[in-house]
Amino acid sequence: PFAQLIFCTDAIAVLINTDCIKANAKSCGECIQAGPNCGWCKKTVSDFLQEGEPTSARCDDLAALKSKGCPMEDIENPRGSKQVLEDREVTNRKKGAAEKLKPEAITQIQPQKLVLKLRVGEPQTFSLKFKRAEDYPIDLYYLMDLSYSMKDDLENVKSLGTALMVEMGKITSDFRIGFGSFVEKTVMPYISTTPAKLRNPCTGDQNCTSPFSYKNVLSLTSEGNKFNELVGKQHISGNLDSPEGGFDAIMQVAVCGEQIGWRNVTRLLVFSTDAGFHFAGDGKLGGIVLPNDGKCHLEDNMYTMSHYYDYPSIAHLVQKLSENNIQTIFAVTEEFQAVYKELKNLIPKSAVGTLSSNSSNVIQLIVDAYNSLSSEVILENTKLPKGVTISYKSFCKNGVNDTQEDGRKCSNISIGDEVRFEINVTANECPKKGQNETIKIKPLGFTEEVEINLQFICECQCQSEGEPNSPACHEGNGTFECGACRCNEGRIGRLCECSTDEVNSEDMDAYCRRENSTEICSNNGECICGQCVCKKRENTNEVYSGKYCECDNFNCDRSNGLICGGNGICKCRVCECFPNFTGSACDCSLDTLPCMASNGQICNGRGTCECGTCNCTDPKFQGPTCEMCQTCLGVCAEHKDCVQCRAFDKGEKKETCSQECMHFNMTRVESRDKLPQPGQPDPLSHCKEKDVDDCWFYFTYSVNSNGEANVHVVETPECPSGPDIIPIVAGVVAGIVLIGLALLLIWKLLMIIHDRREFAKFEKEKMNAKWDTGENPIYKSAVTTVVNPKYEGK
């Protein structure tokens, strides 16, 4: 079992070592980038590497390096780590409490800044905590479509300011509101460009304002009355086509933070319309082909470049809304619900509400949409450096956990609820220049974020301690670092002893041939600088070695399909066996335990133990321990007659008992319970035999360590008693009588059944009898009747 355990351990090591060995690392830095389990032995060349082994053999699994004789203090195996630089606790406070915190003093995400040192293939994990703070400030910007179809809606929005201030006051004590409006690009064919229509785009006696693209009417303010006052002065406008230029307005609201007055708090944009929207590409209808630049172009609160830049694309809009942490609420009429719900699926942290025909329900719509948005947290990270991956696992309310994409979010979060995320960051390769990188993780719609500085472990510590132009590297032709030479340009060899011009020299090849052989490096390697560098096999656990690569660890004798029978190590094509094993294939066990017979003797004293198997010298005996004898009597049968004559003075050896049966000591016991039981040190046989009187007698036979035989016999045999005649006779008689009575009863029953059947048959025939009712032919009536032939009945 011990040998099997060693073999299995080696097999596991093979699986682990593969990546490290296949990397063919020439330096410690290359080695640690091959995998998280790879280490580099920096022990000096003469102490560690065998003849013929390349420098890359220093890179291997940690357990393999240790087994090769590299002490742990000489193994370079840097590990990744994490360090939290800023870790403010999330804010705990109640609405209306005495303290009045500035928005930047409120913390909803923890930690805020940390450093991760990443080694290739080794993930670093940290926990991120998020808690919705109560009484968190809110900025809400109301962006309204002022095309003619929204005329009745404008009347209701004019009083929205104070009413919304009251309603939102139930959620936060720090609420600000702003207002903006949009219509369409001021070019054909979106609007009519005739002078009259530019002054008043509406028909009839309607007094409408000139069309415009986007106008910031009121920057964010906490004065609800001012909102009512300025919105009350707004007039409806008009355009020609059905879709509106709302995307131009949303882009300006997102990027013009200074003019709008956004703070680093919860930012809500309410987009109110009863029509569809134009997007990137539609500008070609008006001759506008320049893509939207995503920059602010407000002059005197008016968007001035609508005729110059095309509408933004949806993806561009998503990017700017996300960058500026703006959550969008689409308040649209029933007719366009389907369109804006599709748009909502493309814009993270957005909601859609059904606007009544005159916007009378807009306040409740905003409150419901805000509650829906704020009850869900979704984590988003900035662009990752090449080769870096990130994964999330969420620990939400009520024990709800998720991974992969769903691991980024938690839903149904109320104010004061705390949720946790477990984040893994893994580097799969080192950056080309090894420079540090920074990524950020934040909840969508929130300004707070976690800043993560990524530092990559691409070099070993010992490389910084290297000695340039070291004498150990053939007169200074390389840098001696981490126990090996890193050759200067133009030099080659384990010790940089050759120039690249000498590599293929025939003089050098002569040093790589054995005496009386024409094979270079035994055809198992390359001759580099007069030294053999053995080639690697596809199975990385199989290794060539030796000065001429003449040795290997896989061409030894096998047993049971295993090299060295799994009981030794193959070194230079010869098996070095583990203790208690010998033979060319280590298939001969020196353990004598399998040869031990039941009497404690090796091979029952009738053979020799060879390789764990008995070779029986007595031809009568066979079996794994020479205890089987087909022609021999058993112990009990062999000593039966002697025990019988000595204990009971009877049997075949009664006359010769004193001569033939005195070779054992006999002890009498009262009952079978007093006989010796198994468990004593001497081999013991329990016997049950029958004597000449057909009585059973019991005894045990054992031989002690001094060779003395001991017999213990029960002094009273068990004799069978005669049969009891009276019960047997009575039983036989009773059986005969009972059987006779049973037979009579059966016969009587059969007769009764037969008679009843015959009587029933008679009754049936009697009922079926029919008697003849015709006249008797012998009978003559006494009356004679004569008819007059002349009588005609008159």
Side-chain angles (χ1 to χ4, degrees):
F2 174 73
Q4 290 176 355
L5 177 63
I6 296 223
F7 177 74
C8 291
T9 306
D10 290 342
I12 293 171
V14 170
L15 295 176
I16 297 174
N17 290 350
T18 302
D19 290 339
C20 307
I21 296 173
K22 283 185 176 180
N24 200 25
K26 300 295 191 297
S27 66
C28 186
E30 291 180 19
C31 179
I32 63 172
Q33 292 180 45
N37 297 313
C38 300
W40 176 273
C41 183
K42 60 182 181 182
K43 203 173 181 183
T44 56
V45 174
S46 58
D47 291 340
F48 179 68
L49 293 179
Q50 298 180 28
E51 273 193 303
E53 277 194 294
T55 303
S56 60
R58 292 182 174 276
C59 183
D60 210 335
D61 176 73
L62 302 180
L65 290 176
K66 193 174 180 182
S67 67
K68 289 179 183 178
C70 188
M72 288 303 293
E73 60 269 17
D74 285 336
I75 296 177
E76 281 285 321
N77 180 36
R79 311 311 303 175
S81 63
K82 66 176 180 180
Q83 180 185 3
V84 179
L85 301 180
E86 193 173 337
D87 193 30
R88 297 190 310 274
E89 288 288 337
V90 290
T91 303
N92 292 302
R93 67 166 186 163
K94 296 292 183 182
K95 182 183 175 185
E99 76 275 15
K100 185 69 175 178
L101 298 177
K102 293 182 178 180
E104 55 270 19
I106 300 174
T107 303
Q108 297 183 111
I109 193 168
Q110 180 187 4
Q112 293 78 38
K113 188 180 291 187
L114 64 158
V115 174
L116 297 182
K117 292 186 177 180
L118 300 177
R119 177 175 170 179
V120 172
E122 181 187 27
Q124 289 299 319
T125 304
F126 67 95
S127 288
L128 186 148
K129 188 191 300 182
F130 179 83
K131 182 176 182 180
R132 276 187 63 194
E134 189 167 346
D135 199 22
Y136 195 73
I138 298 173
D139 284 355
L140 184 146
Y141 192 85
Y142 195 92
L143 183 59
M144 185 175 178
D145 177 6
L146 282 190
S147 60
Y148 187 77
S149 58
M150 293 287 286
K151 180 179 179 181
D152 53 346
D153 300 78
L154 181 60
E155 295 303 318
N156 286 311
V157 174
K158 288 179 179 179
S159 60
L160 178 66
T162 52
L164 193 57
M165 293 291 290
V166 171
E167 195 64 31
M168 295 300 286
K170 300 175 183 177
I171 299 173
T172 177
S173 60
D174 189 356
F175 176 72
R176 298 199 311 167
I177 189 171
F179 184 84
S181 58
F182 66 92
V183 180
E184 186 56 276
K185 288 185 180 295
T186 55
V187 296
M188 281 288 290
Y190 311 110
I191 67 168
S192 176
T193 55
T194 60
K197 290 295 183 181
L198 283 176
R199 290 192 300 270
N200 183 3
C202 300
T203 59
D205 56 352
Q206 297 292 332
N207 185 22
C208 297
T209 188
S210 299
F212 56 91
S213 177
Y214 162 68
K215 176 167 57 178
N216 176 32
V217 177
L218 174 66
S219 298
L220 291 163
T221 178
S222 56
E223 301 176 19
N225 293 327
K226 190 174 182 181
F227 180 95
N228 292 351
E229 177 187 346
L230 288 175
V231 174
K233 296 178 181 179
Q234 300 304 305
H235 295 285
I236 215 73
S237 186
N239 61 317
L240 295 179
D241 61 339
S242 177
E244 314 294 1
F247 276 17
D248 272 342
I250 294 176
M251 177 61 76
Q252 293 304 301
V253 170
V255 299
C256 297
E258 292 185 6
Q259 290 88 333
I260 302 299
W262 292 118
R263 297 177 295 171
N264 284 333
V265 298
T266 299
R267 299 175 176 180
L268 299 179
L269 170 61
V270 179
F271 183 81
S272 174
T273 184
D274 64 348
F277 48 82
H278 284 294
F279 52 89
D282 289 355
K284 290 181 180 180
L285 295 172
I288 303 172
V289 295
L290 198 63
N292 195 288
D293 66 349
K295 296 180 180 178
C296 182
H297 297 288
L298 287 186
E299 293 182 13
D300 295 329
N301 289 320
M302 293 289 289
Y303 179 39
T304 58
M305 302 296 285
S306 68
H307 62 288
Y308 189 76
Y309 290 116
D310 192 6
Y311 302 99
S313 66
I314 295 175
H316 196 185
L317 213 55
V318 169
Q319 177 192 353
K320 292 301 178 181
L321 288 172
S322 178
E323 283 180 3
N324 293 281
N325 306 305
I326 295 173
Q327 304 176 61
T328 310
I329 301 171
F330 295 105
V332 297
T333 54
E334 181 70 34
E335 180 184 358
F336 290 92
Q337 282 289 300
V339 175
Y340 282 92
K341 283 182 178 177
E342 290 296 326
L343 182 61
K344 166 192 171 295
N345 295 332
L346 301 174
I347 301 179
K349 293 295 280 185
S350 62
V352 176
T354 305
L355 190 67
S356 63
S357 59
N358 58 2
S359 297
S360 59
N361 67 331
V362 68
I363 292 179
Q364 190 58 46
L365 184 152
I366 292 171
V367 172
D368 292 343
Y370 169 74
N371 289 331
S372 172
L373 288 172
S374 60
S375 66
E376 183 176 60
V377 58
I378 303 174
L379 296 184
E380 180 189 51
N381 52 267
T382 55
K383 185 178 179 181
L384 298 172
K386 183 181 178 182
V388 175
T389 57
I390 190 167
S391 64
Y392 296 82
K393 183 176 181 181
S394 60
F395 299 86
C396 307
K397 286 176 62 178
N398 304 320
V400 177
N401 301 340
D402 259 316
T403 55
Q404 297 181 354
E405 280 304 307
D406 288 336
R408 291 174 173 265
K409 64 182 179 181
C410 281
S411 302
N412 301 320
I413 302 173
S414 304
I415 292 175
D417 287 342
E418 184 175 291
V419 294
R420 187 171 65 86
F421 296 88
E422 193 174 89
I423 302 174
N424 281 334
V425 181
T426 308
N428 300 308
E429 60 181 72
C430 273
K432 290 183 179 179
K433 297 182 180 179
Q435 71 273 20
N436 298 345
E437 299 280 355
T438 299
I439 62 173
K440 294 180 180 181
I441 299 174
K442 69 174 183 178
L444 283 176
F446 294 87
T447 56
E448 298 174 68
E449 61 188 11
V450 180
E451 184 179 312
I452 307 170
N453 182 252
L454 304 180
Q455 299 179 3
F456 300 91
I457 302 175
C458 301
E459 300 289 348
C460 299
Q461 179 63 34
C462 59
Q463 288 182 251
S464 62
E465 303 167 359
E467 180 185 354
N469 303 320
S470 171
C473 299
H474 197 268
E475 301 176 357
N477 285 315
T479 301
F480 188 76
E481 62 182 26
C482 302
C485 286
R486 190 176 66 188
C487 300
N488 296 336
E489 188 175 353
R491 303 297 297 185
I492 199 169
R494 185 189 288 180
L495 299 176
C496 311
E497 62 270 30
C498 293
S499 69
T500 52
D501 299 333
E502 299 173 330
V503 171
N504 297 320
S505 169
E506 291 185 6
D507 294 338
M508 290 291 181
D509 290 348
Y511 293 104
C512 298
R513 286 192 292 265
R514 301 171 70 179
E515 291 184 8
N516 301 323
S517 175
T518 59
E519 295 178 343
I520 295 176
C521 299
S522 306
N523 287 334
N524 295 324
E526 291 183 87
C527 184
I528 299 177
C529 300
Q531 291 185 343
C532 284
V533 176
C534 302
K535 64 183 179 182
K536 295 180 180 180
R537 288 177 59 85
E538 186 175 349
N539 182 348
T540 54
N541 200 41
E542 297 177 354
V543 177
Y544 290 112
S545 60
K547 182 178 180 180
Y548 303 104
C549 300
E550 74 279 10
C551 296
D552 62 61
N553 65 347
F554 54 88
N555 273 323
C556 290
D557 291 343
R558 295 172 180 258
S559 176
N560 295 325
L562 302 176
I563 297 175
C564 300
N567 302 317
I569 299 174
C570 182
K571 291 187 176 180
C572 203
R573 303 186 179 184
V574 177
C575 287
E576 288 189 5
C577 301
F578 298 140
N580 289 333
F581 289 94
T582 187
S584 62
C586 301
D587 53 351
C588 182
S589 173
L590 301 178
D591 188 7
T592 59
L593 187 60
C595 299
M596 194 69 66
S598 58
N599 60 7
Q601 294 181 314
I602 292 177
C603 298
N604 198 28
R606 293 181 171 86
T608 58
C609 186
E610 298 175 2
C611 298
T613 305
C614 282
N615 183 16
C616 303
T617 54
D618 190 333
K620 293 192 299 181
F621 289 88
Q622 301 172 357
T625 55
C626 301
E627 292 181 278
M628 295 174 60
C629 180
Q630 302 294 339
T631 59
C632 300
L633 292 173
V635 172
C636 296
E638 183 181 352
H639 299 286
K640 165 187 171 182
D641 292 335
C642 283
V643 173
Q644 188 179 176
C645 77
R646 287 189 61 181
F648 309 112
D649 195 24
K650 54 185 177 182
E652 295 180 1
K653 294 187 178 182
K654 177 180 178 182
E655 303 301 330
T656 59
C657 193
S658 58
Q659 290 83 22
E660 297 183 21
C661 301
M662 303 306 294
H663 58 279
F664 58 81
N665 302 322
M666 191 181 72
T667 305
R668 299 175 186 270
V669 296
E670 296 178 1
S671 64
R672 292 168 62 184
D673 296 338
K674 303 293 184 180
L675 290 173
Q677 300 300 316
Q680 65 176 29
D682 300 328
L684 179 69
S685 297
H686 275 262
C687 302
K688 175 186 177 182
E689 298 292 337
K690 188 175 285 188
D691 62 13
V692 293
D693 298 325
D694 283 340
C695 295
W696 293 101
F697 66 97
Y698 300 88
F699 67 94
T700 60
Y701 183 89
S702 62
V703 180
N704 62 22
S705 58
N706 296 325
E708 297 177 347
N710 296 302
V711 173
H712 291 74
V713 60
V714 180
E715 58 187 7
T716 306
E718 293 182 0
C719 296
S721 57
D724 195 347
I725 302 299
I726 295 175
I728 295 174
V729 173
V732 172
V733 172
I736 293 171
V737 172
L738 290 173
I739 291 171
L741 288 173
L743 291 174
L744 286 173
L745 288 172
I746 293 170
W747 176 81
K748 182 64 176 174
L749 180 61
L750 293 174
M751 291 304 296
I752 291 172
I753 294 170
H754 180 267
D755 290 345
R756 287 184 177 180
R757 285 180 178 175
E758 289 296 323
F759 180 74
K761 185 178 180 181
F762 169 75
E763 288 289 332
K764 184 177 180 182
E765 290 177 352
K766 182 180 176 183
M767 293 296 293
N768 292 337
K770 294 183 180 179
W771 304 99
D772 191 6
T773 57
E775 292 183 359
N776 189 346
I778 305 174
Y779 173 75
K780 288 283 190 177
S781 176
V783 180
T784 300
T785 304
V786 180
V787 180
N788 186 356
K790 296 294 188 176
Y791 178 71
E792 296 179 0
K794 295 181 181 179

